Amino acid sequence: MKILILCTGNSCRSQMSHGFMQSFDKNLKVFSAGTKPAEKVNPMAVKVMAECGIDISQHKPKNVNIYVDEPWDYVITVCGGAMESCPTFAGKVKNRLHIGFDDPSEAVGSVEFIDSEFHRVCDEIKERFYDFYINEVKPQLK
């Protein structure tokens, strides 16, 4: 099964989602991309994922255009706030989903607050993508 997870910068939420989905089942083909990819994965995203036992330190933000000609079982957007516009994907897609999350990289305040926002969003991503895996993906793999 091929899953593409999209966000604008492909530096935080989509990378964390990618890491969790891949951790649930190593046989899934999981990719992530963005419409305006950042230069690198957000270091705080790498840190909180490492604390969960998942290494995304070698992930690199990619442009969604490299995946347009491929067929996908799922394309999932993860943008969250009303001020954000989620990318659209015009490729060959069986199922399109939106599972939105706040962008922790937009958090402002103390180091402790920013850290807590990354952990909160990471926990939400893990929970919602695990539910998606158990209820949608895993039954199709039997």
Side-chain angles (χ1 to χ4, degrees):
M1 179 170 298
K2 279 180 64 178
I3 299 169
L4 178 61
I5 303 169
L6 298 179
C7 203
T8 305
N10 189 220
S11 67
C12 197
R13 294 164 291 181
S14 54
Q15 294 287 356
M16 291 191 287
S17 302
H18 177 169
F20 279 121
M21 278 304 295
Q22 199 69 73
S23 77
F24 301 148
D25 188 332
K26 301 288 184 219
N27 294 316
L28 294 175
K29 295 175 185 161
V30 183
F31 303 85
S32 61
T35 52
K36 297 176 186 169
E39 289 184 26
K40 63 180 183 174
V41 175
N42 187 301
M44 285 294 294
V46 173
K47 175 186 168 287
V48 298
M49 290 298 287
E51 291 170 7
C52 293
I54 299 170
D55 181 8
I56 62 167
S57 65
Q58 300 305 307
H59 287 203
K60 305 280 185 240
K62 294 178 179 66
N63 193 299
V64 67
N65 292 336
I66 67 173
Y67 296 122
V68 169
D69 293 330
E70 296 182 39
W72 299 95
D73 294 298
Y74 286 92
V75 172
I76 305 167
T77 53
V78 293
C79 301
M83 298 300 288
E84 281 182 287
S85 61
C86 277
T88 56
F89 187 80
K92 303 168 202 135
V93 181
K94 289 182 186 172
N95 301 284
R96 295 174 198 275
L97 298 175
H98 176 73
I99 307 173
F101 303 97
D102 293 335
D103 186 352
S105 68
E106 298 290 323
V108 291
S110 68
V111 172
E112 293 80 11
F113 175 73
I114 293 169
D115 188 66
S116 72
E117 283 297 283
F118 270 89
H119 281 89
R120 177 183 66 81
V121 172
C122 183
D123 291 345
E124 289 176 8
I125 290 171
K126 180 180 181 180
E127 180 181 332
R128 292 181 66 198
F129 270 87
Y130 187 70
D131 286 346
F132 165 68
Y133 172 71
I134 291 298
N135 295 313
E136 296 283 331
V137 174
K138 194 171 182 183
Q140 295 179 56
L141 301 176
K142 294 179 179 178

